[in-house]
């Protein structure tokens, strides 16, 4: 499945994503944009993700950072077959409650 998604984004990098809140079905966010695939899995992007998750954990203590820890996330993200998919949003809309 992973290689199929990677091949599809390589052929057509456009993305449309909708996130819905299970607890409030009228609340949603849509993101439209393009995907940049970082096949080389650069360490600089790992640091950006660690910084994001560290800040996220401050307000959401059950997030991935606290569940797995930095060492386990770094090991998982650094696997040789991993790639980072960066989304460049061109339009974000929705209704948050």
């Amino acid at each position: 499945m992973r290689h199929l998604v990677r091949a599809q984004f390589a052929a057509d990098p456009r993305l449309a994503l909708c996130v819905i809140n299970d607890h409030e079905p009228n609340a949603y966010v849509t993101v439209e944009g393009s995907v940049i695939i970082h096949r080389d899995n650069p360490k600089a992007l790992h640091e950006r993700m660690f910084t994001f998750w560290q800040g996220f954990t401050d307000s959401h203590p059950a997030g991935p950072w606290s569940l797995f820890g930095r060492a386990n996330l770094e090991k998982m993200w650094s696997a040789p077959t991993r790639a980072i998919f960066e989304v460049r949003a061109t339009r974000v809309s929705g209704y948050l409650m």
Side-chain angles (χ1 to χ4, degrees), residues 36-50 77-78 82-86:
I36 300 168
I37 304 171
H38 298 279
R39 288 181 181 85
D40 54 345
N41 205 349
K43 280 282 197 195
L45 286 178
H46 290 195
E47 288 304 318
R48 284 178 46 198
M49 291 189 298
F50 287 135
W77 291 345
S78 299
R82 294 286 183 166
I84 297 174
F85 290 72
E86 180 180 358

Side-chain angles (χ1 to χ4, degrees), residues 3-21:
H3 299 291
L4 177 61
V5 170
R6 194 179 302 180
Q8 288 174 332
F9 278 128
D12 183 3
R14 294 176 297 167
L15 169 83
L17 173 71
C18 182
V19 180
I20 300 171
N21 181 345

Side-chain angles (χ1 to χ4, degrees), residues 63-77:
W65 184 269
S66 57
L67 292 175
F68 301 112
R70 182 182 175 123
N72 287 331
L73 286 173
E74 190 164 359
K75 183 178 175 183
M76 180 177 64
W77 291 345

